[in-house]
Amino acid sequence: MFRSGFLVRASHTLLTWVITLILFLHNTDLRRCEERGELLLPALFFLLVVLSVLLYFAVSLMDPGFVLSDTAQGVQASSEEMESMIPQSSPRLRRCGYCLLQQPMRAKHCQTCKRCVRRFDHHCPWIENCVGERNHRWFVVYLLVQLLALLWALHIALSGISPGATWELWFRANGFLLAALGVVGVFSVVVVLLLGCHLYLVSINSTTWEFMSWHRISYLKNCRDEENPFDRGIFCNLWDFFCICRTVVWEQVYQRNTPNPV
């Protein structure tokens, strides 16, 4: 936390609370609600911001699903026991060329974290952590909560824009709100795009890495573009992603859903 990711996390937290403070101090809907003694909406907005910050730290500090060793890959089995669980006709476990550990299917070595990650999605510089099997669902939940907070902040900032006799006076009166509006607007677009992309990939049971490198991945390159060996349908994919909290032996799923496995 106090190494490479400290500056990113501190900057994100500081920016979040600076913008929140601007929205509370200017003559916005929040400030007017406080003046009238109506504290429900300000309290809900504050709690939403707190929740988004807590989720941000949870996702950024969580183990994304690192492959720890050949004998501890989330199922506490030896290398021989692990391979015995995998059908003989499915692709074999391969050794990572960097950390020399056996990689389960859908795992990938992250050059930034210098670790192999189960069901690797991508390394996110925003959280300075990988998104993998253990924290992917929480990353999506965080994006949803963050989007709600950003859209609400956008509405609050717009409600505080006041008129001015001249452009100079208008900019002086609304300068901080305009800056907050710009930052919130940019982040809203980014989060909408990220959330949309991740929900689509989750609905087809794919990852960012698999989607971008389909024809270079050994267990996918011989499948046609419309054939995803891990796809169980939209509703089952969403249920598995958000509700099943266990390590999945993807080799078994691959074997069941692939008529002619590699």
Side-chain angles (χ1 to χ4, degrees):
M1 178 176 178
F2 294 100
R3 294 181 180 177
S4 61
F6 175 75
L7 183 60
V8 173
R9 296 179 185 117
S11 299
H12 173 87
T13 306
L14 179 63
L15 187 61
T16 298
W17 290 117
V18 166
I19 292 176
T20 302
L21 189 62
I22 290 173
L23 297 179
F24 270 97
L25 292 181
H26 277 71
N27 189 29
T28 62
D29 285 346
L30 289 180
R31 181 69 176 273
R32 290 190 282 270
C33 284
E34 290 176 344
E35 291 174 349
R36 294 194 300 267
E38 300 171 0
L39 301 180
L40 179 60
L41 288 180
L44 288 177
F45 178 73
F46 179 79
L47 290 176
L48 185 63
V49 173
V50 171
L51 178 60
S52 72
V53 172
L54 291 177
L55 282 172
Y56 173 80
F57 276 96
V59 172
S60 63
L61 298 176
M62 185 183 295
D63 176 0
F66 291 128
V67 179
L68 302 178
S69 71
D70 288 343
T71 59
Q73 299 185 23
V75 292
Q76 299 299 319
S78 67
S79 178
E80 293 78 9
E81 291 171 336
M82 182 69 183
E83 292 197 8
S84 68
M85 298 172 63
I86 302 170
Q88 294 299 313
S89 56
S90 67
R92 306 301 294 167
L93 293 174
R94 67 185 184 90
R95 286 204 176 271
C96 173
Y98 297 96
C99 57
L100 303 179
L101 296 176
Q102 286 186 325
Q103 286 184 336
M105 185 175 284
R106 308 189 83 180
K108 183 182 181 296
H109 186 88
C110 175
Q111 297 284 6
T112 304
C113 295
K114 303 186 186 305
R115 307 278 291 277
C116 286
V117 180
R118 296 181 62 91
R119 197 183 177 275
F120 177 84
D121 188 86
H122 72 290
H123 182 89
C124 181
W126 185 4
I127 63 174
E128 270 300 314
N129 194 11
C130 281
V131 177
E133 188 170 67
R134 291 193 62 187
N135 68 344
H136 195 173
R137 65 175 59 85
W138 294 110
F139 181 73
V140 174
V141 171
Y142 162 69
L143 289 178
L144 179 59
V145 172
Q146 184 69 68
L147 180 60
L148 292 175
L150 287 169
L151 293 178
W152 197 350
L154 203 62
H155 170 75
I156 293 170
L158 287 172
S159 72
I161 300 295
S162 58
T166 64
W167 283 105
E168 183 179 356
L169 292 175
W170 184 77
F171 274 113
R172 286 184 179 179
N174 301 296
F176 286 107
L177 272 181
L178 291 174
L181 197 61
V183 173
V184 171
V186 170
F187 273 92
S188 297
V189 172
V190 172
V191 173
V192 165
L193 293 176
L194 276 174
L195 183 60
C197 290
H198 279 277
L199 287 177
Y200 169 73
L201 292 174
V202 168
S203 70
I204 63 173
N205 203 340
S206 182
T207 64
T208 302
W209 172 56
E210 291 172 342
F211 187 80
M212 300 297 293
S213 307
W214 186 279
H215 298 291
R216 295 192 292 109
I217 299 175
S218 60
Y219 55 86
L220 294 177
K221 63 183 180 182
N222 293 323
C223 299
R224 293 196 298 269
D225 290 342
E226 67 275 10
E227 288 182 349
N228 182 355
F230 309 111
D231 187 6
R232 299 179 57 230
I234 293 177
F235 294 108
C236 288
N237 291 336
L238 291 174
W239 173 265
D240 290 346
F241 181 81
F242 287 106
C243 302
I244 304 300
C245 301
R246 58 179 172 80
T247 297
V248 178
V249 182
W250 292 108
E251 290 82 358
Q252 294 179 347
V253 178
Y254 181 90
Q255 170 69 15
R256 288 196 300 267
N257 299 333
T258 307
N260 297 305
V262 178

